[in-house]
Amino acid sequence: MEARRISTWKSSYLVTDRGREVATWDSKVWKGGGEFVMDGRRFRVKSNGWGTKYSMVDDAGTVVASADRVGRKRWTVSAAGQTYHFRSKFWSGEEELVLGETRVGAVRKASFWGSTVDVELPGLPPAVQLFVLGVVISKWNAESSAAAGASSSGGS
């Protein structure tokens, strides 16, 4: 999958799989999370106040997936009785899907300055892949906001 930022001014991404549009990830402004529609089903992603835990619910309010310890070196996603393990590569901004210590997939920016995100998460259902994408984008947005806030208050 590939996610391409729709606008410079909005944190929305058009998600495609092999050139076919599958969803639009729409981030919430000023809080972690967002929503997307896939195969006619709407999913909402919400985070706790610290951005360390996320949950994805469907229209009925049923929790479909959850993420824990986001922002740490190692974090997890649970969905449909499965637990997926991720490892953050802080210097590259890449989030790796790991099996034991072996990298089996990743979510990463296609280029340092670009607005395209590559999503390679084999074995995860498509809606869970979009959940992981949303969590990672929310994490990047929070980090960017924190860095901007730190730099603007640096000399005061």
Side-chain angles (χ1 to χ4, degrees):
M1 274 197 245
E2 179 182 272
R4 184 176 303 274
R5 194 171 192 156
I6 296 172
S7 162
T8 306
W9 312 111
K10 243 177 115 175
S11 189
S12 295
Y13 290 78
L14 177 63
V15 183
T16 58
D17 188 10
R18 294 180 208 101
R20 183 179 64 89
E21 183 178 330
V22 293
T24 300
W25 168 258
D26 186 19
S27 294
K28 297 290 182 195
V29 179
W30 304 116
K31 59 183 174 179
E35 63 183 26
F36 64 91
V37 176
M38 175 178 253
D39 297 330
R41 293 181 63 198
R42 178 175 305 280
F43 297 93
R44 289 183 313 281
V45 176
K46 301 182 234 177
S47 77
N48 65 357
W50 297 275
T52 57
K53 293 183 180 203
Y54 287 78
S55 61
M56 178 172 72
V57 298
D58 61 15
D59 274 339
T62 304
V63 176
V64 178
S66 62
D68 195 28
R69 299 178 56 85
V70 177
R72 300 283 183 105
K73 180 170 176 63
R74 296 187 180 273
W75 56 284
T76 59
V77 169
S78 299
Q82 296 284 336
T83 300
Y84 305 98
H85 298 269
F86 290 84
R87 178 174 56 204
S88 293
K89 303 296 262 184
F90 289 110
W91 299 114
S92 67
E94 184 171 321
E95 302 293 327
E96 294 180 326
L97 173 63
V98 293
L99 187 56
E101 290 298 315
T102 305
R103 178 189 188 275
V104 295
V107 176
R108 64 185 169 283
K109 292 181 182 175
S111 70
F112 183 75
W113 296 109
S115 57
T116 301
V117 181
D118 290 327
V119 181
E120 178 193 338
L121 300 172
L124 276 70
V128 177
Q129 291 186 43
L130 281 169
F131 171 63
V132 172
L133 170 67
V135 168
V136 171
I137 289 172
S138 296
K139 176 183 175 279
W140 289 341
N141 288 345
E143 290 169 351
S144 178
S145 295
S151 67
S152 68
S153 65
S156 307

